[in-house]
Amino acid sequence: EHDGLGRYGDPLNPNGDLQEMRRLATLLAPGGLLMLGVPIGRDVLVFNAHRIYGPQRLPLLTKGWDMLGLYGSGKTLEQLAQFPQGDGMRGDCDPNPNTRNWEQPVMVLRRPT
């Protein structure tokens, strides 16, 4: 969610997150598991804080991985994509669930064999 945004001194790269996911696939053995937590809601770039992954960018991020499960939200990916757009700063730590515009569940992904 932060790769390529320059927040932590990394070079600006609009596809830094996608490149990092491809790199992670090379580090895992076939069938290896990756637990990934990123903000999920509607697609938003909150420069230079983070990305919120929605129906457009989340499939790009998880391309080439098998999704085994989504944990910690109680919502499906489709339900998470229905959050109001908002400013991208009201996530699952917001005490009022009616004003949230993203949550950060954990996805369990498997590198295909």
PDB file of all heavy atoms in Angstrom, residues 11 17 27 34 47 69 79 83-84 98 101 107 109 112:
ATOM      1  N   PRO A  11      11.826   5.641  -4.018  1.00  0.00           N
ATOM      2  CA  PRO A  11      11.581   6.468  -5.205  1.00  0.00           C
ATOM      3  C   PRO A  11      10.109   6.402  -5.623  1.00  0.00           C
ATOM      4  O   PRO A  11       9.440   5.385  -5.424  1.00  0.00           O
ATOM      5  CB  PRO A  11      12.483   5.846  -6.281  1.00  0.00           C
ATOM      6  CG  PRO A  11      12.848   4.500  -5.784  1.00  0.00           C
ATOM      7  CD  PRO A  11      12.707   4.514  -4.289  1.00  0.00           C
ATOM      8  N   ASP A  17       3.822  -0.888  -5.866  1.00  0.00           N
ATOM      9  CA  ASP A  17       3.131  -1.945  -5.129  1.00  0.00           C
ATOM     10  C   ASP A  17       2.989  -3.204  -5.976  1.00  0.00           C
ATOM     11  O   ASP A  17       3.198  -4.319  -5.495  1.00  0.00           O
ATOM     12  CB  ASP A  17       1.767  -1.460  -4.639  1.00  0.00           C
ATOM     13  CG  ASP A  17       0.875  -0.939  -5.758  1.00  0.00           C
ATOM     14  OD1 ASP A  17       1.383  -0.531  -6.827  1.00  0.00           O
ATOM     15  OD2 ASP A  17      -0.354  -0.917  -5.569  1.00  0.00           O
ATOM     16  N   LEU A  27      10.196 -14.931  -4.152  1.00  0.00           N
ATOM     17  CA  LEU A  27      10.807 -15.327  -2.888  1.00  0.00           C
ATOM     18  C   LEU A  27      10.133 -16.534  -2.259  1.00  0.00           C
ATOM     19  O   LEU A  27      10.731 -17.199  -1.411  1.00  0.00           O
ATOM     20  CB  LEU A  27      10.780 -14.155  -1.904  1.00  0.00           C
ATOM     21  CG  LEU A  27      11.527 -12.895  -2.343  1.00  0.00           C
ATOM     22  CD1 LEU A  27      11.322 -11.784  -1.321  1.00  0.00           C
ATOM     23  CD2 LEU A  27      12.998 -13.172  -2.563  1.00  0.00           C
ATOM     24  N   LEU A  34       1.212 -16.323   1.525  1.00  0.00           N
ATOM     25  CA  LEU A  34       1.488 -14.929   1.861  1.00  0.00           C
ATOM     26  C   LEU A  34       0.271 -14.376   2.586  1.00  0.00           C
ATOM     27  O   LEU A  34      -0.860 -14.486   2.086  1.00  0.00           O
ATOM     28  CB  LEU A  34       1.743 -14.112   0.591  1.00  0.00           C
ATOM     29  CG  LEU A  34       1.885 -12.597   0.768  1.00  0.00           C
ATOM     30  CD1 LEU A  34       3.159 -12.261   1.549  1.00  0.00           C
ATOM     31  CD2 LEU A  34       1.895 -11.902  -0.589  1.00  0.00           C
ATOM     32  N   PHE A  47      -2.176  10.281  -1.533  1.00  0.00           N
ATOM     33  CA  PHE A  47      -0.749  10.557  -1.667  1.00  0.00           C
ATOM     34  C   PHE A  47      -0.273  11.364  -0.469  1.00  0.00           C
ATOM     35  O   PHE A  47      -0.914  12.306  -0.059  1.00  0.00           O
ATOM     36  CB  PHE A  47      -0.481  11.342  -2.961  1.00  0.00           C
ATOM     37  CG  PHE A  47       0.971  11.495  -3.246  1.00  0.00           C
ATOM     38  CD1 PHE A  47       1.680  10.445  -3.792  1.00  0.00           C
ATOM     39  CD2 PHE A  47       1.633  12.657  -2.937  1.00  0.00           C
ATOM     40  CE1 PHE A  47       3.023  10.559  -4.043  1.00  0.00           C
ATOM     41  CE2 PHE A  47       2.988  12.786  -3.188  1.00  0.00           C
ATOM     42  CZ  PHE A  47       3.682  11.738  -3.735  1.00  0.00           C
ATOM     43  N   GLY A  69      -8.468 -16.981   1.255  1.00  0.00           N
ATOM     44  CA  GLY A  69      -9.402 -16.492   2.255  1.00  0.00           C
ATOM     45  C   GLY A  69      -9.181 -15.025   2.569  1.00  0.00           C
ATOM     46  O   GLY A  69      -8.151 -14.440   2.237  1.00  0.00           O
ATOM     47  N   GLN A  79     -18.631  -6.377  -0.733  1.00  0.00           N
ATOM     48  CA  GLN A  79     -19.199  -5.477   0.276  1.00  0.00           C
ATOM     49  C   GLN A  79     -18.219  -4.367   0.640  1.00  0.00           C
ATOM     50  O   GLN A  79     -18.611  -3.216   0.819  1.00  0.00           O
ATOM     51  CB  GLN A  79     -19.593  -6.263   1.531  1.00  0.00           C
ATOM     52  CG  GLN A  79     -20.786  -7.168   1.325  1.00  0.00           C
ATOM     53  CD  GLN A  79     -20.982  -8.121   2.487  1.00  0.00           C
ATOM     54  OE1 GLN A  79     -20.028  -8.618   3.095  1.00  0.00           O
ATOM     55  NE2 GLN A  79     -22.242  -8.398   2.803  1.00  0.00           N
ATOM     56  N   PHE A  83     -18.101   0.660   0.259  1.00  0.00           N
ATOM     57  CA  PHE A  83     -17.915   1.759   1.207  1.00  0.00           C
ATOM     58  C   PHE A  83     -18.018   3.091   0.467  1.00  0.00           C
ATOM     59  O   PHE A  83     -17.657   3.180  -0.709  1.00  0.00           O
ATOM     60  CB  PHE A  83     -16.533   1.693   1.872  1.00  0.00           C
ATOM     61  CG  PHE A  83     -16.456   0.815   3.081  1.00  0.00           C
ATOM     62  CD1 PHE A  83     -15.614  -0.274   3.104  1.00  0.00           C
ATOM     63  CD2 PHE A  83     -17.221   1.094   4.199  1.00  0.00           C
ATOM     64  CE1 PHE A  83     -15.527  -1.078   4.225  1.00  0.00           C
ATOM     65  CE2 PHE A  83     -17.145   0.300   5.322  1.00  0.00           C
ATOM     66  CZ  PHE A  83     -16.298  -0.791   5.340  1.00  0.00           C
ATOM     67  N   PRO A  84     -18.479   4.156   1.122  1.00  0.00           N
ATOM     68  CA  PRO A  84     -18.464   5.470   0.467  1.00  0.00           C
ATOM     69  C   PRO A  84     -17.035   5.885   0.149  1.00  0.00           C
ATOM     70  O   PRO A  84     -16.097   5.505   0.843  1.00  0.00           O
ATOM     71  CB  PRO A  84     -19.103   6.396   1.503  1.00  0.00           C
ATOM     72  CG  PRO A  84     -19.041   5.668   2.794  1.00  0.00           C
ATOM     73  CD  PRO A  84     -18.961   4.205   2.488  1.00  0.00           C
ATOM     74  N   ASN A  98     -20.189   3.888  10.653  1.00  0.00           N
ATOM     75  CA  ASN A  98     -20.993   4.500   9.593  1.00  0.00           C
ATOM     76  C   ASN A  98     -20.208   5.513   8.760  1.00  0.00           C
ATOM     77  O   ASN A  98     -20.683   5.951   7.718  1.00  0.00           O
ATOM     78  CB  ASN A  98     -22.230   5.165  10.189  1.00  0.00           C
ATOM     79  CG  ASN A  98     -23.139   4.156  10.834  1.00  0.00           C
ATOM     80  OD1 ASN A  98     -23.316   3.054  10.328  1.00  0.00           O
ATOM     81  ND2 ASN A  98     -23.702   4.507  11.976  1.00  0.00           N
ATOM     82  N   ASN A 101     -14.499   4.370   5.318  1.00  0.00           N
ATOM     83  CA  ASN A 101     -14.481   4.184   3.869  1.00  0.00           C
ATOM     84  C   ASN A 101     -13.478   3.115   3.448  1.00  0.00           C
ATOM     85  O   ASN A 101     -13.214   2.958   2.270  1.00  0.00           O
ATOM     86  CB  ASN A 101     -14.275   5.496   3.107  1.00  0.00           C
ATOM     87  CG  ASN A 101     -13.140   6.328   3.625  1.00  0.00           C
ATOM     88  OD1 ASN A 101     -12.112   5.795   3.989  1.00  0.00           O
ATOM     89  ND2 ASN A 101     -13.329   7.631   3.659  1.00  0.00           N
ATOM     90  N   MET A 107      -5.674 -10.981   3.752  1.00  0.00           N
ATOM     91  CA  MET A 107      -5.898 -11.941   2.676  1.00  0.00           C
ATOM     92  C   MET A 107      -4.829 -13.021   2.792  1.00  0.00           C
ATOM     93  O   MET A 107      -3.661 -12.722   3.047  1.00  0.00           O
ATOM     94  CB  MET A 107      -5.762 -11.275   1.306  1.00  0.00           C
ATOM     95  CG  MET A 107      -6.844 -10.275   0.996  1.00  0.00           C
ATOM     96  SD  MET A 107      -6.559  -9.492  -0.604  1.00  0.00           S
ATOM     97  CE  MET A 107      -5.288  -8.317  -0.145  1.00  0.00           C
ATOM     98  N   LEU A 109      -2.988 -15.543   0.532  1.00  0.00           N
ATOM     99  CA  LEU A 109      -2.718 -15.784  -0.879  1.00  0.00           C
ATOM    100  C   LEU A 109      -1.713 -16.939  -0.997  1.00  0.00           C
ATOM    101  O   LEU A 109      -0.832 -17.086  -0.161  1.00  0.00           O
ATOM    102  CB  LEU A 109      -2.138 -14.538  -1.531  1.00  0.00           C
ATOM    103  CG  LEU A 109      -2.947 -13.245  -1.400  1.00  0.00           C
ATOM    104  CD1 LEU A 109      -2.165 -12.068  -1.958  1.00  0.00           C
ATOM    105  CD2 LEU A 109      -4.281 -13.391  -2.100  1.00  0.00           C
ATOM    106  N   PRO A 112       0.849 -20.011  -6.896  1.00  0.00           N
ATOM    107  CA  PRO A 112       0.451 -21.235  -7.614  1.00  0.00           C
ATOM    108  C   PRO A 112       1.635 -22.185  -7.784  1.00  0.00           C
ATOM    109  O   PRO A 112       2.795 -21.783  -7.847  1.00  0.00           O
ATOM    110  CB  PRO A 112      -0.019 -20.733  -8.977  1.00  0.00           C
ATOM    111  CG  PRO A 112      -0.397 -19.316  -8.738  1.00  0.00           C
ATOM    112  CD  PRO A 112       0.546 -18.819  -7.674  1.00  0.00           C
TER     113      PRO A 112
END
